[in-house]
Amino acid sequence: MRSLVALPVVAFCVAPAVAVLVGLTESLPPDDTVLGGASTGAVLGVALIGAWGALLVTTEYSAGTMRAVLAATPRRFVVLGAKAAVAASVATIVGCAATGAAVLLGRALLDSTRYPTGAVFPALFGIAFCYTALACLGVAVAALVRGSAAAVAIMLAVPILPDLIGPLLGESGRWISGSGPAAVVAELASGSDAPAVAAGWLGGWGALVALCGFVVIGLVGAVRLFEATDV
């Protein structure tokens, strides 16, 4: 399907495009960093790569090829693991390229005398790994819901839902808000737009570990359901 080719390309373009927009409009807050401004569009890129990861699975159902795949490879965890491996590999490349290009464009367009660059390394790799995590989560969600529309809608909502749901759950909600993709990106970039509920809570790397934990839980649940159903 064309969307399986187009979405990674769009996901790559989003972060650099937003970095250029921030640089041309000089809309970066004075207390922010070049890394923070360049990472503004990463959240949308992460959502798009997550939707792409979901389509890797749901297109098999919509095209009717999942039965043939399972007939050729009866071990279902191998099928889902292979899709997760492909999703992770492509998403890692897209994430590294997108965040690297965004930072380079941000440094070129933003006044270095007004804005510090920020700790680019290793934060850049942490932000790139968010792409990997969301692509794998997309595979898990797709295996659970099996419908393209539902899976894509869920993955597009994942970056913003933790910030909406977390404050409603009291103290325990901090684990949800602080480990959401938007909070992870903002914390790693140390931008001034980091969600207040997440700031200073888990920290960037702790939040990334928590996010990966949720992804692993999702993948385990997806494998269990995938093996327990007929198709």
Side-chain angles (χ1 to χ4, degrees), residues 35-145:
L35 176 61
S39 303
T40 303
V43 176
L44 180 55
V46 162
L48 291 174
I49 207 68
W52 171 79
L55 287 175
L56 286 181
V57 177
T58 58
T59 50
E60 295 274 19
Y61 286 103
S62 60
T65 58
M66 184 58 79
R67 290 185 182 276
V69 170
L70 294 177
T73 310
R75 292 182 296 175
R76 299 186 172 211
F77 73 91
V78 174
V79 173
L80 205 60
K83 289 185 178 295
V86 171
S89 300
V90 174
T92 300
I93 295 171
V94 171
C96 290
T99 51
V103 170
L104 289 175
L105 289 169
R107 293 184 66 178
L109 294 173
L110 292 170
D111 186 356
S112 59
T113 62
R114 295 177 55 192
Y115 303 105
T117 302
V120 176
F121 298 102
L124 185 146
F125 296 109
I127 295 171
F129 194 73
C130 287
Y131 286 74
T132 308
L134 264 290
C136 291
L137 183 61
V139 171
V141 168
L144 292 170
V145 302

Side-chain angles (χ1 to χ4, degrees), residues 156-208:
L156 291 178
V158 161
I160 61 173
L161 278 180
D163 293 335
L164 298 177
I165 297 175
L168 304 177
L169 302 178
E171 289 296 316
S172 60
R174 295 190 300 171
W175 286 98
I176 297 176
S177 299
S179 58
V184 174
V185 172
E187 283 289 308
L188 288 173
S190 299
S192 62
D193 56 348
V197 70
W201 168 228
L202 293 173
W205 295 104
L208 181 59

